[in-house]
């Protein structure tokens, strides 16, 4: 039976009833909080719900002064929103031949790339300018510290870029690079610092964890296995995570419930988004339990775009990044291989983080750079067939990036967010 609605006279009585002091205090507090934080809340809500491309607002507004910060980016400046400008005076930041640490998969000039124009573009934010990468300041920041890049070969490219940006200031006898299975360590003795790369393409344990032999089509990720890799991350002061490319095997991902050592392996298939969400939540739990927000900084690099389908940017069907030497000029361009659903997952999960995470949103700015991939100008690990040689598009690498090049800009953005969040 429905309760009868009160009459208008009843509403009149309720309106005239005086508020209790406790209720008045509560309402006043709610109004105060709404005024104080309303703008930030709406900004967060708008970015997370309406604009999956930009899932975070400025980190320091929520967390206050962050470790390693020496200043702030000016108000209203989004360093990830801007344009590429030609700059022969200040680019490249180093020469390919000067950095012996670049893997042969990324040395495009050595492998016959005829042009160098891809090296001369500088990222210019719309409402401000980047402070410029200061190698001396970066090394001083790293004195007595460990910096680690964790992820796949794209994160390794960013790692190598960082080493190339710094190593010229270090005498030959005072630096070294060594590899121990999944871990590569660049050491500078003078600064008592290391810059490291750890191979973990899914962050969680997987059947693709061998740093050398990992070309597996039927990829499986083990649920709740972050500590398998995480034990190698403890004690790091600056962490840069990345994971995306290896998840893109289709619409589903196999999740292992038990152990890879089990004779009978029980797996379940879930959507890529749900699998990725599981990995992000596991990563955040590990960070919260093992890192100190007063001493350490955590960065997460967004997806690196590919340029495997030229029809995405109005090109000829069946072509890709091969022979591309110009930029995409459409400021709204977004390639079909960059899933916005994944960006939305990142926004949803990281917005709930109880640890400050700085998001390096490199996807959009990198999407314009169809010219910057290694394409065919890299070491080929297997002999090319006559059919491949006759059709370079068939073996062009439109995933990885030449060095020097685009990934140096990623590190300029990392440098900016580290010191001027």
């Amino acid at each position: 039976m429905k309760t009868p609605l009160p009459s208008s006279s009843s509403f009149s009585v309720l309106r005239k009833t005086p508020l209790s002091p406790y209720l008045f205090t509560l309402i006043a507090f709610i109004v105060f909080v709404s005024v104080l934080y309303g703008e930030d809340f709406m900004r967060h809500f708008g970015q997370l719900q309406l604009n999956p491309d930009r899932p975070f607002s400025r980190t320091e507004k929520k967390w206050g002064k962050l470790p390693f910060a020496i200043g702030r980016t000016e108000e209203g400046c989004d360093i990830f929103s801007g344009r590429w400008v030609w700059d022969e005076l200040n680019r490249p930041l180093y020469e390919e031949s000067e950095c012996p640490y670049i893997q042969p998969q990324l040395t495009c000039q050595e492998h016959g790339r005829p042009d160098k124009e891809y090296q001369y573009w500088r990222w210019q934010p719309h409402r401000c300018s980047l402070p410029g990468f200061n190698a001396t300041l970066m090394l001083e920041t790293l004195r007595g510290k460990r910096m680690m890049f964790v992820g796949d070969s794209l994160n390794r490219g960013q790692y190598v870029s960082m080493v190339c940006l710094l190593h010229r200031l270090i005498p030959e006898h005072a630096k070294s690079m060594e590899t121990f299975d999944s871990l590569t360590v660049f050491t500078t003795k003078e600064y008592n610092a290391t810059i490291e790369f750890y191979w973990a393409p899914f962050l969680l344990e997987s059947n693709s964890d061998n740093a050398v032999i990992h070309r597996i089509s039927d990829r499986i990720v083990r649920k709740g296995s972050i500590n398998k890799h995480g034990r190698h991350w403890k004690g790091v002061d600056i962490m840069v995570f990345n994971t995306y490319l290896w998840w893109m095997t289709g619409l589903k991902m196999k999740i292992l419930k038990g152990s890879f050592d089990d004779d009978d392996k029980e797996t379940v298939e879930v959507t890529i988004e749900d699998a990725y969400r599981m990995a992000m939540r596991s990563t955040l739990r590990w960070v919260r339990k093992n890192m100190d927000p007063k001493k350490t900084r955590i960065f997460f690099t967004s997806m690196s775009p590919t340029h495997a389908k030229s029809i995405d940017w109005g090109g000829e069907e069946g072509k890709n990044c091969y022979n591309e030497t110009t930029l995409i000029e459409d400021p709204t361009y977004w390639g079909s291989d960059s899933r916005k659903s994944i960006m939305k997952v990142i926004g949803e999960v990281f917005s709930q983080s109880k640890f400050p995470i700085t998001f390096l949103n490199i996807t959009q700015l990198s999407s314009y750079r169809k010219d910057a991939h290694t394409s065919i100008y890299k070491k080929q690990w297997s002999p090319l067939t006559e059919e491949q040689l006759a059709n370079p598009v068939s073996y062009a690498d439109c995933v990885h990036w030449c060095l020097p090049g685009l990934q140096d800009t990623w590190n300029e953005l990392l440098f900016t967010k580290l010191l001027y969040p």
Side-chain angles (χ1 to χ4, degrees):
M1 180 176 175
K2 291 184 179 180
T3 304
L5 291 171
S7 66
S8 59
S9 60
S10 300
F11 280 122
S12 177
V13 171
L14 287 173
R15 286 197 300 267
K16 293 176 183 178
T17 302
L19 294 173
S20 72
Y22 302 104
L23 184 57
F24 180 81
T25 302
L26 177 60
I27 292 174
F29 176 75
I30 291 172
V31 171
F32 172 76
V33 171
S34 298
V35 172
L36 186 62
Y37 296 106
E39 182 182 349
D40 278 352
F41 173 78
M42 289 308 295
R43 187 183 297 115
H44 274 284
F45 182 84
Q47 288 170 334
L48 292 175
Q49 303 297 330
L50 303 178
N51 190 353
D53 307 348
R54 304 186 185 283
F56 296 101
S57 66
R58 295 177 60 174
T59 308
E60 75 280 6
K61 283 194 172 184
K62 180 177 180 180
W63 300 103
K65 191 175 187 302
L66 298 171
F68 303 101
I70 61 174
R72 290 184 60 175
T73 299
E74 61 188 86
E75 193 69 29
C77 171
D78 178 1
I79 63 172
F80 305 109
S81 177
R83 67 189 190 282
W84 290 97
V85 297
W86 184 258
D87 189 353
E88 285 186 85
L89 293 178
N90 300 296
R91 290 294 187 274
L93 297 177
Y94 55 88
E95 294 293 337
E96 179 185 300
S97 58
E98 294 175 352
C99 187
Y101 306 105
I102 308 176
Q103 307 103 303
Q105 303 97 302
L106 308 178
T107 50
C108 298
Q109 292 297 307
E110 180 183 346
H111 288 90
R113 179 158 180 167
D115 67 300
K116 295 184 70 173
E117 280 78 5
Y118 65 93
Q119 298 184 3
Y120 296 122
W121 292 101
R122 174 175 57 81
W123 180 247
Q124 176 62 56
H126 286 311
R127 297 187 178 181
C128 56
S129 293
L130 297 177
F133 189 89
N134 186 323
T136 301
L137 178 56
M138 188 67 191
L139 282 170
E140 285 297 338
T141 301
L142 293 175
R143 187 179 290 277
K145 306 296 182 183
R146 290 178 66 194
M147 181 180 196
M148 180 181 284
F149 293 78
V150 177
D152 57 23
S153 56
L154 288 160
N155 222 23
R156 181 168 54 204
Q158 187 177 359
Y159 159 74
V160 171
S161 162
M162 179 63 76
V163 172
C164 290
L165 288 166
L166 298 176
H167 87 99
R168 284 181 298 175
L169 298 183
I170 308 166
E172 284 298 323
H173 68 274
K175 59 188 175 186
S176 63
M177 181 179 281
E178 300 175 279
T179 297
F180 312 92
D181 296 325
S182 295
L183 182 66
T184 300
V185 182
F186 176 81
T187 303
T188 166
K189 297 177 183 177
E190 180 181 349
Y191 292 89
N192 187 31
T194 60
I195 307 171
E196 308 171 32
F197 169 74
Y198 186 90
W199 171 266
F202 294 97
L203 303 185
L204 301 179
E205 182 182 4
S206 74
N207 61 348
S208 304
D209 285 345
N210 188 301
V212 178
I213 305 171
H214 45 246
R215 292 176 179 247
I216 298 171
S217 57
D218 188 23
R219 297 168 183 173
I220 303 173
V221 175
R222 182 183 165 216
K223 183 179 180 180
S225 57
I226 193 76
N227 288 326
K228 193 260 187 180
H229 297 309
R231 59 194 176 93
H232 299 282
W233 310 340
K234 292 183 178 181
V236 170
D237 300 283
I238 302 170
M239 182 84 78
V240 185
F241 287 112
N242 154 263
T243 182
Y244 173 72
L245 183 66
W246 284 67
W247 297 90
M248 298 301 109
T249 56
L251 299 177
K252 298 281 187 177
M253 173 64 70
K254 287 185 178 179
I255 305 298
L256 177 67
K257 286 190 171 183
S259 168
F260 281 106
D261 295 328
D262 295 341
D263 292 331
D264 296 321
K265 296 179 177 60
E266 181 184 358
T267 62
V268 294
E269 280 196 344
V270 301
T271 65
I272 295 296
E273 287 77 12
D274 285 342
Y276 196 88
R277 184 178 289 105
M278 175 192 71
M280 293 300 96
R281 287 175 175 169
S282 294
T283 302
L284 287 187
R285 279 195 297 269
W286 185 91
V287 167
R288 190 174 68 250
K289 291 179 180 179
N290 295 279
M291 307 296 274
D292 184 350
K294 295 180 180 179
K295 298 179 180 179
T296 58
R297 286 289 298 278
I298 305 296
F299 294 85
F300 189 89
T301 304
S302 67
M303 65 186 79
S304 175
T306 64
H307 292 89
K309 305 171 185 175
S310 59
I311 55 173
D312 281 357
W313 58 85
E316 184 180 344
E317 187 172 359
K319 303 295 184 181
N320 54 23
C321 71
Y322 172 67
N323 259 357
E324 292 288 351
T325 58
T326 60
L327 279 61
I328 295 172
E329 296 182 359
D330 178 4
T332 65
Y333 174 79
W334 188 274
S336 60
D337 290 335
S338 298
R339 295 192 190 178
K340 288 193 175 185
S341 59
I342 294 297
M343 294 289 267
K344 186 175 181 181
V345 169
I346 296 171
E348 291 171 352
V349 176
F350 281 21
S351 67
Q352 301 168 9
S353 174
K354 297 178 181 178
F355 194 105
I357 308 289
T358 302
F359 188 63
L360 298 178
N361 196 356
I362 56 86
T363 307
Q364 184 74 72
L365 63 92
S366 303
S367 294
Y368 307 135
R369 297 301 308 275
K370 61 183 171 68
D371 64 311
H373 290 287
T374 53
S375 185
I376 65 172
Y377 305 108
K378 55 181 284 187
K379 180 176 181 178
Q380 306 294 336
W381 297 105
S382 302
L384 297 171
T385 65
E386 291 185 7
E387 290 80 7
Q388 286 176 313
L389 290 170
N391 181 24
V393 170
S394 66
Y395 67 95
D397 181 348
C398 298
V399 172
H400 298 95
W401 310 94
C402 300
L403 286 180
L406 172 66
Q407 290 187 298
D408 302 320
T409 296
W410 296 4
N411 280 321
E412 287 183 287
L413 297 166
L414 171 59
F415 171 84
T416 301
K417 281 296 185 181
L418 176 66
L419 299 177
Y420 309 97

